[in-house]
Amino acid sequence: MTTPVHVQTVEGLGTVSVRPIDPASDAPLIHAWVNEERAVFWGMNGTTVEHVRDVYAHLDSLTTHHGFLVELDGEPVAVFQTYEPAADRVSECYEVEEGDIGCHLLVAPAAAPAPGFTAGLLSALVAFCHRDHLRIVVEPDAANEKAVARMVRAGFELGPEVVLPEVDLPEVFIPEKRARLAFLRRG
């Protein structure tokens, strides 16, 4: 178990903890989440546990990209990734500013999602990102209307629709993606 890098109590929700992913021990759980049809936009459908472990081990080796497991009252509820936009393909699609941080969020499946759950979770994750950064950049798949609407409800300002270029490296392959940029400045 890794040590949390952020812990915050969210009124009406509980205690949100953000800890680095342990690729070996967390891969089976993350694999189950990313292989559900609802996670198709995460881009890991059809992967094996070993592939998920290898992807997060690679992410763990980088200084510019980080993977986190988010827990609510000790129970895993989401995968959260942060990255420096200048070191990512998104930098080809907008003018990166000093103090930007990019992020991705995959909320775990829930039998009965609690009202306000994602909004509460996002408030803790925004606080985590804004501790050290001036602006959050997200780039959900443009076809993922739910994610785009969720960002707007969370206060993000919509930017342009862009095409993120394909990444084809020995360690990782990421296909081209039509995305909708959105930004949230620290208040």
Side-chain angles (χ1 to χ4, degrees):
M1 179 68 86
T2 56
T3 304
V5 294
H6 184 75
V7 177
Q8 180 177 338
T9 300
V10 177
E11 190 175 333
L13 184 65
T15 301
V16 176
S17 301
V18 181
R19 68 165 176 83
I21 288 173
D22 178 321
S25 64
D26 293 331
L29 175 65
I30 296 170
H31 172 263
W33 294 350
V34 300
N35 274 281
E36 290 202 358
E37 183 57 34
R38 63 181 288 284
V40 70
F41 293 114
W42 197 251
M44 294 181 77
N45 280 149
T47 58
T48 63
V49 171
E50 292 75 22
H51 182 234
V52 170
R53 181 197 63 226
D54 292 348
V55 165
Y56 284 97
H58 172 70
L59 199 66
D60 194 42
S61 75
L62 302 174
T63 59
T64 56
H65 292 64
H66 306 283
F68 302 98
L69 197 67
V70 181
E71 297 177 346
L72 177 61
D73 296 330
E75 292 298 317
V77 294
V79 171
F80 187 60
Q81 294 174 198
T82 62
Y83 61 90
E84 293 176 20
D88 191 86
R89 66 183 179 162
V90 74
S91 67
E92 297 180 34
C93 301
Y94 87 102
E95 191 171 329
V96 176
E97 294 180 8
E98 180 86 24
D100 280 359
I101 185 170
C103 61
H104 303 285
L105 174 65
L106 174 68
V107 176
F117 170 80
T118 304
L121 201 62
L122 271 173
S123 70
L125 297 174
V126 163
F128 169 57
C129 289
H130 276 161
R131 286 187 325 192
D132 301 317
H133 297 88
L134 300 175
R135 184 171 71 160
I136 300 170
V137 180
V138 295
E139 26 89 0
D141 191 296
N144 189 345
E145 295 173 6
K146 285 184 178 182
V148 172
R150 185 178 303 122
M151 294 301 108
V152 171
R153 286 193 308 273
F156 283 74
E157 181 181 322
L158 289 180
E161 193 170 297
V162 298
V163 176
L164 301 178
E166 175 182 287
V167 174
D168 192 2
L169 302 170
E171 307 84 20
V172 66
F173 173 77
I174 306 171
E176 179 179 277
K177 172 180 141 180
R178 181 163 291 286
R180 183 66 187 260
L181 296 179
F183 305 91
L184 183 63
R185 286 196 184 278
R186 184 166 63 196

